[in-house]
């Protein structure tokens, strides 16, 4: 399962992981696996505006970063750095423990934007 995520190199849906596993696990198992991995911090959940989730490996030791995700095709690009640390420390100052955050940017990627342009 984690291999499938590593091979994808970008956030993918449970369906895509399921397809990559070629029947090695059913969809429910993959979904539960992603939730479990997310809980222990191995995998990061990328909620889409649609309410669906994409999943990606948490950068192992690398710099924490976020993604800009195309709402047309789901393509994701990495954004360097993170501005959320100050919100997390503010939350800790309020006495919250195990603080984490989810932060994604959505847009229409250049390739989808040019497709839309062609249609007109
Ligand atoms: Zn796109
Ligand atoms: Zn962050």
């Amino acid at each position: 399962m984690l291999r499938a995520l590593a091979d994808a190199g970008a956030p993918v849906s449970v369906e895509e992981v399921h397809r990559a596993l070629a029947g090695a696990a059913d969809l429910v198992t993959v979904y539960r696996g992603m939730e479990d991995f997310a809980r222990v911090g191995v995998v990061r959940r990328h909620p889409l505006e649609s309410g669906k989730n994409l999943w990606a490996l948490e950068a192992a030791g690398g710099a924490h970063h976020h993604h800009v995700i195309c709402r047309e095709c789901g393509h994701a690009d990495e954004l360097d750095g993170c501005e959320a640390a100050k919100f997390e420390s503010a939350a800790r100052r309020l006495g919250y423990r195990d603080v984490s955050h989810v932060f994604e940017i959505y847009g229409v990627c250049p390739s989808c934007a040019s497709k839309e342009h062609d249609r007109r």
Side-chain angles (χ1 to χ4, degrees):
M1 238 180 251
L2 293 176
R3 169 78 54 83
L5 287 182
D7 288 349
V12 289
S13 65
V14 165
E15 288 79 6
E16 284 169 285
V17 174
H18 179 245
R19 214 173 303 136
L21 292 175
D26 64 31
L27 206 51
V28 175
T29 306
V30 175
Y31 195 83
R32 283 208 199 110
M34 290 302 134
E35 301 247 292
D36 287 345
F37 287 134
R39 208 168 300 130
V40 296
V42 177
V43 162
R44 176 167 284 261
R45 177 203 303 262
H46 297 269
L48 297 182
E49 286 171 318
S50 64
K52 276 192 70 164
N53 290 307
L54 296 181
W55 308 85
L57 282 187
E58 188 69 85
H64 169 81
H65 65 262
H66 293 275
H67 292 92
V68 53
I69 299 169
C70 176
R71 59 170 78 89
E72 303 278 321
C73 70
H75 175 82
D77 278 313
E78 289 183 7
L79 300 170
D80 288 335
C82 176
E83 305 293 322
K86 61 182 173 201
F87 295 117
E88 289 203 345
S89 49
R92 283 196 198 92
R93 278 200 299 278
L94 290 173
Y96 284 76
R97 292 171 50 204
D98 296 331
V99 172
S100 68
H101 65 272
V102 174
F103 180 76
E104 307 298 341
I105 305 285
Y106 297 93
V108 177
C109 76
S111 103
C112 287
S114 69
K115 259 182 255 158
E116 226 154 75
H117 184 79
D118 292 346
R119 243 180 270 146
R120 279 188 201 121

